[in-house]
Amino acid sequence: MSVPRFAVIGHPVSHSLSPRIHAAFSHQTGIAMDYGTLDAAPTDLAAALERFHRDGGAGANVTMPHKRAAAALCESLADRAERSGVVNTLVRTATGWRGDNTDGLGLVRDLTDRHSQDLRGRRVLLIGAGGAAHGVAPALLDAGIADLFIVNRTESRTDALADALGEPARVHPRYFRDLDTLGSFDLIINATSIGHDADGSELPLPGSLIRRRCDVVDLAYGEAAIGFLAWARASGADRLIDGLGMLVEQAAESFELWHGVHPDTDAIHDELRAEHPIGSIGR
């Protein structure tokens, strides 16, 4: 009996930790799977997925820059993928690809379970309106936050995300020119590359965004998150969290969609954290 094939598809994708994470889940659960990487340029996504299916592909994770395009290629979408408009998990059915999105639940699980965050009633700033922001915004609302302010460099994308979420009472599109007037937040999430090429000292963000006991998250992990988290620490943030935990948790949700078993995430998270020691940093 052949081992089912799975992969993470992106461009570039060779750096991805997903094969290692899923190998750990496979070993832990005793569920055999062949999980690799699939590099596809944006113009080759549809053909790459078709080749993957013909070669026995049963499911895939989707990363940059394909999350929106992958949704358009799906024969059906889970409710949370329909709501977010982006896909990070594909499941092959008898009639085509079914798209889902586990990013938001992965982030919420990391914040609530691993970092003991209570998201209910919090005033949240989401920086970015691309695929990553689309993936996490619905889950934040479902977790009970009080207000979600969205800022992005491209104003039309900010408005599009706010419109897609469909909750005008809680979702507030704003623009970078408004940052000085937004007040302070309980939680700030960076879903962009802001700060990823800097030391955090010249970010276009006012320290007034951070209120007492504000927590700050960068959805990137490791060195890429250093600049933004350095800005947050210098501005007085209470707790700094990078995206490694979210990466592991969203992978576990994908694994469960494919195999019907939810793996334990602590061992592989701790192993990867030892190699990428940014994570949650106290003042």
Side-chain angles (χ1 to χ4, degrees):
M1 185 174 180
S2 61
V3 175
R5 290 191 63 202
F6 298 86
V8 55
I9 183 167
H11 184 69
V13 75
S14 61
H15 65 285
S16 175
L17 293 175
S18 291
R20 185 169 165 189
I21 294 169
H22 283 282
F25 293 160
S26 175
H27 178 75
Q28 175 198 132
T29 61
I31 297 173
M33 63 187 300
D34 175 0
Y35 190 110
T37 60
L38 185 59
D39 195 314
T43 55
D44 190 42
L45 178 62
L49 284 173
E50 180 58 29
R51 290 192 299 269
F52 180 61
H53 165 58
R54 289 199 307 266
D55 291 340
N61 289 122
V62 182
T63 188
M64 294 285 289
H66 299 316
K67 293 185 178 185
R68 190 180 301 276
L73 295 174
C74 289
E75 182 266 340
S76 64
L77 294 173
D79 288 345
R80 55 192 175 187
E82 184 90 47
R83 189 176 173 198
S84 67
V86 292
V87 159
N88 83 324
T89 304
L90 298 172
V91 181
R92 188 69 192 187
T93 71
T95 55
W97 292 110
R98 178 168 175 78
D100 207 331
N101 196 300
T102 66
D103 280 336
L105 185 54
L107 174 63
V108 169
R109 283 192 184 278
D110 184 55
L111 293 179
T112 58
D113 296 352
R114 181 164 290 113
H115 297 292
S116 302
Q117 300 286 300
D118 185 352
L119 298 177
R120 293 172 297 178
R122 304 191 86 183
R123 190 172 194 260
V124 179
L125 174 64
L126 177 62
I127 304 171
H134 274 260
V136 302
L140 291 168
L141 294 169
D142 291 346
I145 65 171
D147 291 283
L148 181 66
F149 287 76
I150 305 168
V151 298
N152 188 63
R153 291 189 187 279
T154 305
E155 297 181 1
S156 61
R157 296 181 73 179
T158 307
D159 294 333
L161 175 53
D163 289 345
L165 292 170
E167 293 199 35
R170 285 200 292 166
V171 177
H172 316 287
R174 297 292 187 269
Y175 313 114
F176 266 80
R177 64 174 180 268
D178 301 325
L179 283 173
D180 287 319
T181 66
L182 295 184
S184 59
F185 293 87
D186 302 305
L187 176 65
I188 298 174
I189 299 171
N190 182 26
T192 74
S193 60
I194 288 176
H196 294 181
D197 296 321
D199 62 4
S201 62
E202 298 181 359
L203 293 178
L205 302 172
S208 59
L209 295 172
I210 294 180
R211 65 175 47 164
R212 184 175 179 272
R213 300 196 63 77
C214 173
D215 300 312
V216 176
V217 179
D218 195 314
L219 298 188
Y221 64 87
E223 292 185 3
I226 289 175
F228 188 79
L229 295 183
W231 164 79
R233 179 165 51 191
S235 300
D238 186 56
R239 200 166 196 192
L240 313 181
I241 301 169
D242 73 359
L244 183 63
M246 171 185 163
L247 177 67
V248 174
E249 296 300 330
Q250 65 80 26
E253 297 298 327
S254 296
F255 190 92
E256 183 172 13
L257 286 174
W258 297 327
H259 305 294
V261 175
H262 195 283
D264 181 79
T265 57
D266 288 341
I268 185 61
H269 173 270
D270 292 348
E271 181 180 318
L272 294 174
R273 173 56 68 214
E275 300 171 12
H276 302 276
I278 303 299
S280 174
I281 308 168
R283 274 192 294 184

